[in-house]
Amino acid sequence: MQFLQPPGWATPKGYANGVAAKGTLVFVGGQIGWNGEQQFESDDFIAQTKQALQNVHAVLACAGAGPEHMVRMTWYITDRDEYNTRLRELGTVYREVMGKCFPAMTCVEVSRLVESRAKVEIEVTAVVPD
């Protein structure tokens, strides 16, 4: 895996500008903040994000992958202001579940998600080296 950082660009915080990789592709569908029984345990944004990240981690494990294999991550959030005001908490939870693995990332605010209680949905692409 090669992280792509154009010369002269400021180093991004919490994500990579790009990643080049070879191997088996793993696509993780959007994971939300409910548990394996599809039940929400909290309506708190940080708690739901932690659960969604744990769900991503579990799906990656099914393919013999882990956070270190992530090359792309897309977040869909329902409240950009809450995301920005809780970045410190978010960073703590992210590192707790995913470690210091920061793939190329996009974050988009959406008006709502399919599950009405969901505050975040995260999808991932990973590459497991051959």
Side-chain angles (χ1 to χ4, degrees), residues 54-112:
Q54 290 171 331
N55 295 346
V56 167
H57 199 289
V59 174
L60 287 171
C62 290
E68 69 276 13
H69 298 110
M70 296 185 304
V71 295
R72 181 164 180 74
M73 179 179 265
T74 304
W75 294 48
Y76 302 94
I77 57 171
T78 59
D79 188 337
R80 179 180 67 110
D81 293 333
E82 183 170 25
Y83 175 91
N84 284 322
T85 59
R86 299 187 74 187
L87 276 175
R88 185 169 297 229
E89 294 169 86
L90 193 58
T92 298
V93 165
Y94 182 92
R95 287 186 302 278
E96 180 183 322
V97 179
M98 296 300 194
K100 292 186 178 182
C101 302
F102 305 109
M105 182 180 145
T106 301
C107 185
V108 180
E109 181 183 41
V110 296
S111 61
R112 58 188 178 164

Side-chain angles (χ1 to χ4, degrees), residues 1 3 11-13 20-23 28 41-42 47 50 71 75 94 106 111 113 121 123-124:
M1 196 175 309
F3 290 92
T11 303
K13 294 179 182 176
K22 292 181 182 179
V28 179
E41 296 175 7
S42 175
K50 182 176 183 179
V71 295
W75 294 48
Y94 182 92
T106 301
S111 61
L113 296 164
E121 185 166 341
E123 63 182 17
V124 164

Side-chain angles (χ1 to χ4, degrees), residues 30-42 51 55 115-118:
Q31 298 297 308
I32 60 176
W34 62 17
N35 61 30
E37 288 76 46
Q38 299 181 347
Q39 301 294 317
F40 287 96
E41 296 175 7
S42 175
Q51 182 65 60
N55 295 346
E115 292 297 327
S116 61
R117 286 181 65 186

